Amino acid sequence: MGTKTAAIYTRISKDSEGKALGVTRQEQDCRDLANRLEYDHIILFSDNDTSASTLTDKPRPDFVRMMEAAKDRQVDAIIAYSNSRLTRRVAEIQALIDVVKRTGMRIHTVASGQHDLDTADGRAAMLTIAVWDQAEAERTGERIKRAKLQKAQNGEWHGGAAPYGYQVDPQTKNLTPNPAEVKLIHEAATRLLDRGQALHSIVVEWNNRGETTRYGHHWRQTGLRPILLNRSMLGETSTGHKGWEPIIDERTFDRLTALLTDPSRKVVHSPGANGGKRALGGGLTVCGLCGKPLITHSKSTGMGKGTSTATLGCMARVHGPSDKHPRIKRTRTRNGERIEVWEDTGRVTIAHDPLEELVFERVIAALHDTERWKARMQEKSPEAENKLVELEDRRRELNNELDGVGRAVMIGAWDERRAKAEVARIRAEMDDLDKRINALIGRPMFDAVLQEGKLENWREWPVLDRRSFLRLFIDRIEVHPYPEGTQRTRRKLKDETDEQHKAAQWEIVKAATASRIKIRWKWEL
């Protein structure tokens, strides 16, 4: 008789203390059951502090891994404390039943017993329990949502992360001003309204002097702008009721809103905030020294107006200072005067188009030579599918928020100015969501691109399709400085035509590019 392997799955929705006591108790009970059922080998999967209801999009990585192990017949059974610890989603119970029917695997629980999934009655019983588990979770969510709304209507903080500029008082559970964050908000308002400065200049200076966001990241315009449009600074709850101490006066807030939502005002995003114009942007290409994403921009060729080339670069004004790029003092001439300035060293830049051609050549070669890549491409990505569901759900929420703005205006609860500001915020987030959704669902059909002539015509694909296709195979592309002595150009030969010289120069640039990049494949070649 062969070895019998069981997967033990433990989960608890809330673990505020972070001690994992609940999942530890579940594991022990499940191990006792596994011993009684005479399973020889145990594989443990655990998602602590993670809900499994339909009201959350938080991923459960170990549940996904357990399902993959079951589908691959790596386990003979799944053991959980109860059905609800496995999941509170009917669709996932149905998926488990499908795996059982296909593989003959068993499902055991400590508290819910064992269902005979080989029979229609057993499957129906398990699905019925799942329906009630899901309903109970959704009822709980409805009660919590209603309690939060009541708090907001009563002028109380409804819970969750405090808006920027505030912190949650541990005793009263209400919001109180955060002095350090309030100071930055006031500085930004003053510089925008009284000094006529741009958001870009503010975030650049903050990054240069070491200011960070609440979570320790560098400032960007796309992060600062929504903070300055948030009505919570006026002490308002989400329902418009006064609930806590304002940190900015209404006149200043109205001026900020008018300035930042003016349709005639061009909003200049931070470099790299939208990497959709080039296939190798959006974080696919990174600096080989500091690991930060390279930012797409245009670089002048020095041949006159309109002669620029698409470039990827590690930009200090986006990523801030780094010990991987030490600063040195150099002497520069500005307006006829010699001045000393601090400059970063080792910031890499690379021409986009020759790099893209080189990368596609390597991917195409690998596809033709590596059969196991094609096999891997038939596998589904649960992470990508879960992320797509999360983004689409958020977009539906934003559509509901837009409808809510319209209703608020109709009943006179909001004036036109406030409504315009809220619509602008929602539209900006929806635009961002659309780009992220398109990046996931816009991946070219793998079988289609392998048809004759289709793959070689990659230049005709939309930018996001090209990037999504490369992401199927590539984790990241690291760009390093040029190796010493690398040839990067050559003079035109005496009998050489302009076209011949241009073609030869292109190959030299590609060879130089190849010498400084490292492609991190998702699978070994």
Side-chain angles (χ1 to χ4, degrees):
M1 185 174 181
T3 301
K4 294 170 59 180
T5 300
I8 287 180
Y9 180 73
T10 63
R11 183 191 63 80
I12 194 167
S13 299
K14 292 293 183 183
D15 182 15
S16 56
E17 296 182 0
K19 296 181 179 180
L21 298 179
V23 291
T24 300
R25 290 191 295 269
Q26 291 178 32
E27 179 187 346
Q28 186 57 57
D29 290 341
C30 289
R31 285 187 181 275
D32 292 343
L33 178 58
N35 289 334
R36 293 195 299 272
L37 296 173
E38 298 182 345
Y39 284 97
D40 310 292
H41 181 59
I42 299 297
I43 304 176
L44 179 63
F45 300 91
S46 182
D47 288 313
N48 189 41
D49 196 25
T50 306
S51 173
S53 79
T54 58
L55 301 177
T56 179
D57 298 320
K58 187 176 180 180
R60 287 178 290 146
D62 264 26
F63 182 83
V64 172
R65 284 192 282 269
M66 179 190 67
M67 288 293 289
E68 291 301 315
K71 292 175 184 176
D72 291 343
R73 302 176 187 268
Q74 297 175 21
V75 298
D76 301 298
I78 291 175
I79 301 177
Y81 183 78
S82 65
N83 287 4
S84 63
R85 293 307 89 200
L86 269 174
T87 181
R88 288 183 179 271
R89 301 182 183 187
V90 174
E92 289 179 345
I93 288 293
Q94 182 63 62
L96 278 167
I97 291 175
D98 291 342
V99 173
V100 169
K101 291 168 66 177
R102 188 169 66 253
T103 66
M105 179 193 71
R106 304 284 97 181
I107 296 179
H108 309 282
T109 67
V110 175
S112 303
Q114 178 179 351
H115 302 286
D116 185 359
L117 300 182
D118 293 330
T119 67
D121 287 346
R123 294 191 292 271
M126 192 169 189
L127 283 169
T128 301
I129 293 173
V131 168
W132 286 105
D133 282 341
Q134 179 171 313
E136 178 57 30
E138 291 175 355
R139 280 194 293 271
T140 300
E142 290 169 358
R143 290 195 295 269
I144 293 173
K145 187 175 181 180
R146 183 65 186 89
K148 287 184 176 182
L149 177 61
Q150 186 175 23
K151 283 188 173 184
Q153 291 172 339
N154 292 338
E156 302 175 53
W157 177 239
H158 52 69
Y164 193 85
Y166 290 94
Q167 56 197 359
V168 179
D169 186 297
Q171 295 182 341
T172 65
K173 303 300 182 183
N174 213 345
L175 298 182
T176 59
N178 181 316
E181 295 179 353
V182 170
K183 183 179 179 181
L184 288 179
I185 289 174
H186 287 172
E187 178 187 342
T190 299
R191 293 175 64 172
L192 283 167
L193 300 176
D194 300 338
R195 302 178 191 173
Q197 297 182 6
L199 279 176
H200 169 69
S201 63
I202 296 172
V203 299
V204 166
E205 182 177 324
W206 284 3
N207 289 332
N208 285 342
R209 75 187 194 204
E211 301 287 357
T212 63
T213 66
R214 175 181 292 175
Y215 302 106
H217 302 302
H218 296 296
W219 281 100
R220 303 182 77 165
Q221 296 177 61
T222 49
L224 178 56
R225 189 172 183 272
I227 288 174
L228 299 177
L229 291 173
N230 193 340
R231 294 189 67 87
S232 65
M233 295 192 299
L234 295 173
E236 290 186 5
T237 69
S238 58
T239 59
H241 294 77
K242 294 292 183 181
W244 46 83
E245 180 184 346
I247 58 176
I248 200 168
D249 62 83
E250 291 198 22
R251 181 173 179 275
T252 300
F253 182 82
D254 287 345
R255 291 176 63 202
L256 283 171
T257 301
L259 177 70
L260 297 176
T261 61
D262 184 355
S264 65
R265 173 184 169 89
K266 182 180 179 182
V267 178
V268 180
H269 295 286
S270 300
N274 177 7
K277 293 184 178 180
R278 300 291 170 185
L280 299 186
L284 183 59
T285 310
V286 303
C287 174
L289 299 178
C290 69
K292 296 293 181 64
L294 298 190
I295 307 303
T296 57
H297 63 288
S298 296
K299 184 177 181 181
S300 174
T301 62
M303 302 297 290
K305 186 176 180 180
T307 56
S308 60
T309 182
T311 304
L312 297 160
C314 181
M315 301 179 69
R317 61 187 173 124
V318 175
H319 299 313
S322 169
D323 57 0
K324 302 297 183 181
H325 305 292
R327 310 189 86 186
I328 62 173
K329 188 176 287 187
R330 288 184 173 141
T331 302
R332 300 293 187 195
T333 301
R334 290 184 183 172
N335 300 324
E337 294 185 10
R338 303 283 287 178
I339 61 173
E340 290 186 334
V341 296
W342 286 96
E343 294 183 353
D344 288 348
T345 60
R347 294 279 180 179
V348 299
T349 60
I350 193 167
H352 177 276
D353 293 349
L355 175 61
E356 182 182 25
E357 182 173 297
L358 178 68
V359 170
F360 262 98
E361 286 177 355
R362 292 192 179 180
V363 169
I364 291 171
L367 282 173
H368 289 323
D369 299 339
T370 313
E371 286 299 323
R372 65 175 175 272
W373 268 28
K374 297 179 183 180
R376 288 298 300 267
M377 284 310 304
Q378 308 308 317
E379 301 174 2
K380 292 185 177 180
S381 169
E383 293 81 8
E385 292 178 1
N386 289 341
K387 189 63 178 177
L388 185 59
V389 170
E390 174 187 338
L391 295 176
E392 290 176 337
D393 285 348
R394 178 56 184 157
R395 203 179 192 296
R396 282 191 288 271
E397 291 176 2
L398 289 173
N399 276 321
N400 291 335
E401 290 181 24
L402 274 179
D403 293 341
V405 172
R407 290 193 295 271
V409 173
M410 289 178 61
I411 65 175
W414 285 14
D415 58 25
E416 185 178 355
R417 178 182 297 173
R418 179 179 178 183
K420 284 183 176 180
E422 187 66 7
V423 168
R425 179 194 67 79
I426 295 172
R427 291 291 186 194
E429 186 175 349
M430 290 177 76
D431 288 344
D432 177 64
L433 282 174
D434 286 342
K435 293 183 178 69
R436 294 164 66 188
I437 289 172
N438 288 338
L440 287 172
I441 66 176
R443 59 184 264 178
M445 293 299 294
F446 182 71
D447 291 335
V449 300
L450 289 183
Q451 294 174 3
E452 185 177 354
K454 184 74 173 179
L455 182 56
E456 279 67 20
N457 292 336
W458 58 266
R459 293 176 183 82
E460 300 174 6
W461 302 354
V463 169
L464 285 178
D465 277 1
R466 300 209 298 267
R467 183 190 301 167
S468 298
F469 183 77
L470 293 177
R471 283 195 179 278
L472 297 176
F473 314 97
I474 296 172
D475 182 58
R476 67 187 184 280
I477 303 165
E478 298 174 357
V479 179
H480 297 267
Y482 286 102
E484 187 174 352
T486 302
Q487 182 183 5
R488 299 160 62 181
T489 186
R490 73 162 172 79
R491 294 179 180 276
K492 181 181 178 182
L493 302 179
K494 183 177 180 180
D495 298 327
E496 194 174 36
T497 65
D498 289 342
E499 289 75 15
Q500 289 172 334
H501 178 253
K502 184 177 180 180
Q505 180 65 29
W506 181 261
E507 293 304 319
I508 290 174
V509 170
K510 280 179 59 179
T513 298
S515 70
R516 59 189 299 223
I517 69 166
K518 177 67 176 179
I519 299 179
R520 302 293 183 182
W521 304 100
K522 288 193 173 180
W523 312 298
E524 293 183 4
L525 290 173

